[in-house]
Amino acid sequence: MRITIINTDRNEKRYTRVELEEFVAQLRDGTYRQQYIRDFNKEVCFAAEWVKQNGELKAKSNNCLTLLSLENLRDLSTVEEYKRLAILQPYTLLCFMGHDGHSLHIVCQYTIAAPVPEGNHKAQSFMLNAQSLTNAFRKLHFIYSSQLGTPLAEHEPTFETSCKASYDPQPFYNPSAIALTVSSEPEAIPEFRPMQEDISDYNYPEEIPGLSLRNSRMRRFHDCLDTAIEKFRDISDDEEYTIAVLEQLADGCRQIGLPQAWCARVASFIPLFSESLDNNAIESAFKTAYLKEALKTIPMKYTRPSALLVFKTEAYMKEHYTLRLNVMTGTPEYRMNAVGYGFLPLDQAARNTMAIKALKAGVESWDKDLNRYIDSNLIPKYYPMEDYLRHLPKWNGKHDYVGELARRVKTGNAYWESDFHTWMLSMVAQWTGKDRQHGNAIVPLLVGPQGSGKTTFCRRLLPEWLQTYFNDRLSMKNDNDIFIAMSSYALINIDEFDAMKQSQQPVLKYLLSKHDVKMRPPYGKVMEERQRFASFIATTNCLRPLTDPTGSRRFVCVYADEIDNEGYLQHDQLYAQLVQELREGRQYWFDDTDNERIIRQNMDFQRIDDYEKMVLLTYLPPADTPADVPFVPLRDVMDTLAARFPTFVISKNTDRELGRRLKMMGYKHKRMTKGAVYGMKEI
């Protein structure tokens, strides 16, 4: 793949093309490090391969690449932190530092779901390509803004969009990155919802009339700075003057309620402080001012040292971090109290870093003290699925997104669309805990040839930002592992269902009806009762995967002739529809009539090895057989069973064994010249 390098020299532009791999090598070796010393500038365009023919600029090809950018980052460490988060995303093809050292560029690849017209429709083709580029940019902008915890730079994506060529000794390049599938038609993509900034115990000031909240804060910040400068104007020593102004600024910001981390970050860009103090010194000044105020409410004179340490630890943690307990993963997560940080798992390294920073700030809290606070009920609980559903846009009410999704599975089952709809409703009800007595007890079972897209269909039921809560590698060997998965995932795909042992299907049948699960978490000492979030779906290549006739009503078996996984899924509208339907009281469970129908449908998917079970699934039992029923030759009975059950194999002694079983079951029989006949009626 070739990208375009744009050389600007005295307002004249020259276009050259290089392979993407070559550009990555140039980023690494410093080809563009000294470019700004000379009288020319270089920019790089990823979206298209441009050529100049007869003085006219033409697009030779569409690379299906889009550019995302993070700007105005604090320092190199902040750039590296965001780079670390960006490379964790499966769509990141290339990630490198911007030319100014305060920005980050992310390049992603996309594919167009529907083929773009060619031939004589070049104008239409270009417009569709342009719409796909817009869709890809907006969708990826939302994904990365959500995952990185900060809004990315906004711009109108075009095939001419470019950025400055730069130098990065450690660019990230992943040729195997996933390409995002987008439509060539306009898509309804949700806007990024910035994480709440009001995370400390301090109240933000009201907006100044005519100014945004950000500009209001900036105005108040500079008012405090001007006051501090005026107060210490007579100090002649530069170092003393800088420190005095900084401490006064920090105290003033605290008094009017500005957020500490935000103020420290703004102060780090002011030359008065940044030219003589490092970032740690600036942050320390604000920490001291804010922590001192927070501790004023603690009755230190009459408080024991151990209790005082608890108060100091809690005040420090609330001031610098936002903590939450993810109820699905069962692990705490944290976010630094500064604009631009997202939530991350609170692992041991993060805990140790918190303890070290607390000690540096003068709070004598070791890791055991911090862990005591982190692992307490003082940390609020976070429900990922409920949070996603709560922030959905309103369903437009004009389109059946659930039905459209079901119809992607090409099948002759006339009930599939309605059954799938009911199951999706039950899954959402499971996430929200709507029914505290029952769980989602139904499992759609997709039957079809290998490579037909069954697993892909299951995975795509969840949006990209919830793929963390999808599991298709569940082991059925350990009950406790199953219990943990049921409380930790939103959707579990039992891939290769036919590989499940016959003894495991009754266990699964029992678990499906459970709303809550009792389990012992890893390294836990006692049993815990947790809410079940997971619903189940299954896939198999086996045409007859069911082995337990008594549990067949738990499975909605459907043979998938073909599955369409190419089109774009509007997940937000899909789940908004389900939420609205649940709110309006639509039935989200299968009643007795549905269950009886499902059992009948599943007859063709039943694998039976026992003669008696095969007979009872095919013929009326002796007690229900009419007295005047015609007698059927044993050979006809064997042919009927062989046609329905692949495991019924006719061999030398089959007639003898089957005849014996029919007599034991009580079926009327006669001995005729050509063999035995039996009074039996097919169901």
Side-chain angles (χ1 to χ4, degrees):
M1 181 186 303
R2 290 186 175 183
I3 60 175
T4 306
I5 303 296
I6 308 169
N7 303 317
T8 303
D9 188 1
R10 298 180 178 87
N11 297 323
E12 181 183 354
K13 291 186 176 182
R14 300 189 304 274
Y15 295 82
T16 58
R17 293 167 291 158
V18 299
E19 295 290 338
L20 182 59
E21 291 80 2
E22 183 181 352
F23 174 75
V24 175
Q26 292 171 347
L27 283 174
R28 188 180 291 110
D29 64 23
T31 299
Y32 310 110
R33 184 190 299 192
Q34 302 296 327
Q35 63 169 294
Y36 301 103
I37 298 177
R38 296 173 289 185
D39 191 22
F40 74 93
N41 193 8
K42 291 190 177 183
E43 295 186 359
V44 54
C45 175
F46 295 96
E49 183 181 353
W50 293 95
V51 294
K52 215 168 187 179
Q53 297 179 351
N54 301 323
E56 184 180 354
L57 187 63
K58 296 182 178 180
K60 186 176 180 180
S61 66
N62 175 16
N63 290 333
C64 285
L65 298 179
T66 187
L67 175 67
L68 307 172
S69 299
L70 268 173
E71 299 175 348
N72 301 319
L73 300 179
R74 181 174 180 174
D75 48 30
L76 290 178
S77 63
T78 306
V79 174
E80 289 300 320
E81 176 67 18
Y82 279 119
K83 182 192 288 188
R84 185 179 68 85
L85 294 175
I87 66 179
L88 294 176
Q89 309 308 314
Y91 307 107
T92 303
L93 173 67
L94 174 64
C95 185
F96 61 97
M97 181 174 61
H99 74 286
D100 58 357
H102 294 280
S103 56
L104 184 70
H105 300 301
I106 305 169
V107 181
C108 301
Q109 191 172 6
Y110 63 92
T111 59
I112 304 174
V116 178
E118 298 179 352
N120 298 324
H121 304 282
K122 291 185 177 180
Q124 184 183 4
S125 174
F126 181 82
M127 291 299 296
L128 290 174
N129 273 313
Q131 183 61 59
S132 300
L133 173 63
T134 300
N135 293 340
F137 174 81
R138 291 180 59 205
K139 188 173 181 179
L140 289 164
H141 188 282
F142 176 84
I143 294 173
Y144 279 82
S145 295
S146 302
Q147 295 298 322
L148 273 61
T150 186
L152 275 69
E154 288 279 4
H155 66 263
E156 188 65 28
T158 66
F159 289 105
E160 297 87 356
T161 299
S162 60
C163 66
K164 302 276 188 190
S166 66
Y167 165 63
D168 188 337
Q170 293 182 322
F172 173 80
Y173 178 56
N174 178 23
S176 302
I178 297 175
L180 183 72
T181 302
V182 296
S183 172
S184 58
E185 300 178 354
E187 300 181 15
I189 300 171
E191 296 182 359
F192 169 64
R193 301 182 299 271
M195 293 187 179
Q196 185 181 359
E197 294 185 6
D198 189 5
I199 48 186
S200 70
D201 291 336
Y202 303 98
N203 296 321
Y204 290 147
E206 296 180 355
E207 295 184 24
I208 298 175
L211 296 179
S212 65
L213 180 59
R214 179 179 178 85
N215 289 337
S216 298
R217 293 174 186 166
M218 192 64 73
R219 176 68 62 83
R220 295 179 184 274
F221 176 88
H222 282 282
D223 287 343
C224 293
L225 178 60
D226 293 340
T227 300
I229 291 174
E230 184 65 30
K231 182 176 181 179
F232 299 105
R233 186 178 298 276
D234 296 334
I235 298 179
S236 58
D237 185 83
D238 290 342
E239 183 178 354
E240 183 182 352
Y241 168 75
T242 301
I243 294 176
V245 172
L246 179 61
E247 291 177 350
Q248 179 63 37
L249 170 65
D251 190 64
C253 292
R254 175 195 57 75
Q255 292 183 32
I256 64 174
L258 289 172
Q260 174 199 327
W262 181 85
C263 292
R265 186 182 182 203
V266 174
S268 67
F269 288 100
I270 297 176
L272 173 64
F273 308 127
S274 61
E275 291 179 358
S276 57
L277 301 173
D278 59 20
N279 292 332
N280 290 331
I282 297 173
E283 291 180 355
S284 180
F286 282 88
K287 289 177 182 178
T288 301
Y290 280 70
L291 185 60
K292 183 178 180 181
E293 178 65 20
L295 295 176
K296 284 184 178 181
T297 59
I298 303 173
M300 297 187 185
K301 185 176 180 180
Y302 303 103
T303 304
R304 293 181 178 180
S306 58
L308 184 61
L309 178 61
V310 173
F311 282 114
K312 288 183 177 180
T313 301
E314 185 175 358
Y316 174 84
M317 294 296 292
K318 286 184 176 181
E319 189 58 47
H320 294 84
Y321 306 98
T322 297
L323 303 178
R324 69 186 187 188
L325 177 63
N326 190 321
V327 297
M328 292 187 67
T329 62
T331 58
E333 299 174 343
Y334 78 102
R335 182 182 67 195
M336 297 180 62
N337 287 357
V339 179
Y341 286 92
F343 280 98
L344 297 171
L346 188 53
D347 55 17
Q348 191 59 51
R351 293 175 184 244
N352 293 339
T353 303
M354 290 178 178
I356 293 172
K357 288 187 175 182
L359 290 170
K360 288 183 177 180
V363 181
E364 297 181 357
S365 294
W366 295 91
D367 50 355
K368 63 178 182 176
D369 303 306
L370 294 180
N371 290 335
R372 189 178 294 112
Y373 173 74
I374 293 170
D375 298 324
S376 70
N377 291 328
L378 299 174
I379 307 303
K381 293 182 179 180
Y382 168 64
Y383 296 82
M385 307 313 298
E386 289 189 18
D387 182 73
Y388 170 72
L389 297 175
R390 186 169 57 251
H391 292 96
L392 288 173
K394 188 177 180 180
W395 176 40
N396 58 33
K398 300 179 180 179
H399 188 75
D400 182 11
Y401 294 93
V402 184
E404 181 185 53
L405 177 59
R407 290 189 293 272
R408 289 173 176 261
V409 179
K410 312 301 181 182
T411 179
N413 189 331
Y415 295 95
W416 164 246
E417 186 173 334
S418 62
D419 288 347
F420 179 77
H421 201 139
T422 302
W423 175 78
M424 288 286 291
L425 287 166
S426 186
M427 180 171 67
V428 174
Q430 183 80 65
W431 294 348
T432 59
K434 186 178 180 64
D435 187 348
R436 307 298 298 184
Q437 301 298 322
H438 307 90
N440 187 2
I442 299 297
V443 181
L445 179 51
L446 303 181
V447 182
Q450 187 174 359
S452 58
K454 302 184 297 296
T455 302
T456 301
F457 176 83
C458 298
R459 179 177 291 278
R460 295 186 72 202
L461 293 178
L462 296 182
E464 286 87 349
W465 38 93
L466 291 178
Q467 286 296 314
T468 303
Y469 305 102
F470 176 83
N471 186 335
D472 59 355
R473 294 292 185 268
L474 177 64
S475 173
M476 301 293 294
K477 297 179 180 179
N478 188 298
D479 291 352
N480 200 62
D481 291 343
I482 302 175
F483 294 149
I484 294 174
M486 292 175 68
S487 64
S488 303
Y489 294 97
L491 179 61
I492 297 175
N493 174 29
I494 306 176
D495 211 10
E496 299 181 0
F497 179 83
D498 57 294
M500 181 183 298
K501 295 181 179 179
Q502 186 170 349
S503 60
Q504 294 174 335
Q505 289 195 18
V507 176
L508 178 62
K509 179 183 71 172
Y510 163 75
L511 295 175
L512 288 173
S513 60
K514 303 286 291 182
H515 180 272
D516 298 307
V517 293
K518 292 184 178 179
M519 36 115 10
R520 179 175 295 172
Y523 310 106
K525 297 181 180 180
V526 297
M527 298 291 290
E528 296 182 6
E529 184 169 329
R530 290 186 179 179
Q531 179 182 342
R532 169 190 166 185
F533 293 98
S535 291
F536 288 82
I537 194 169
T539 62
T540 181
N541 304 331
C542 178
L543 297 180
R544 297 181 181 271
L546 301 181
T547 60
D548 180 16
T550 62
S552 65
R553 69 181 182 89
R554 302 295 189 190
F555 302 92
V556 176
C557 297
V558 57
Y559 184 81
D561 299 312
E562 181 185 354
I563 300 179
D564 177 16
N565 289 318
E566 296 298 324
Y568 171 70
L569 296 182
Q570 297 193 34
H571 288 96
D572 283 6
Q573 281 295 306
L574 170 72
Y575 286 103
Q577 176 185 347
L578 294 167
V579 170
Q580 182 65 29
E581 290 174 343
L582 286 173
R583 190 178 292 120
E584 294 174 353
R586 178 161 176 165
Q587 181 174 313
Y588 60 90
W589 63 91
F590 292 83
D591 55 28
D592 292 340
T593 302
D594 295 325
N595 291 330
E596 292 176 1
R597 171 181 56 79
I598 291 173
I599 292 175
R600 291 194 301 270
Q601 290 177 187
N602 288 343
M603 289 283 294
D604 293 336
F605 299 91
Q606 195 76 47
R607 184 172 73 243
I608 305 294
D609 297 321
D610 184 86
Y611 285 175
E612 293 184 14
K613 291 181 179 179
M614 294 180 186
V615 170
L616 293 177
L617 288 172
T618 308
Y619 297 92
L620 292 174
D624 299 334
T625 302
D628 57 348
V629 66
F631 283 75
V632 182
L634 182 60
R635 185 68 195 186
D636 291 351
V637 176
M638 289 192 299
D639 291 341
T640 300
L641 296 178
R644 174 164 291 190
F645 303 101
T647 54
F648 186 89
V649 179
I650 300 177
S651 61
K652 181 179 180 181
N653 297 319
T654 302
D655 55 347
R656 183 181 302 175
E657 177 63 23
L658 180 61
R660 186 178 67 84
R661 295 286 188 93
L662 294 177
K663 294 175 184 177
M664 292 176 60
M665 295 173 68
Y667 285 100
K668 296 180 179 179
H669 60 282
K670 298 179 181 178
R671 175 70 59 178
M672 307 296 289
T673 305
K674 295 184 178 181
V677 294
Y678 294 82
M680 306 176 70
K681 182 177 177 61
E682 288 191 44
I683 299 175

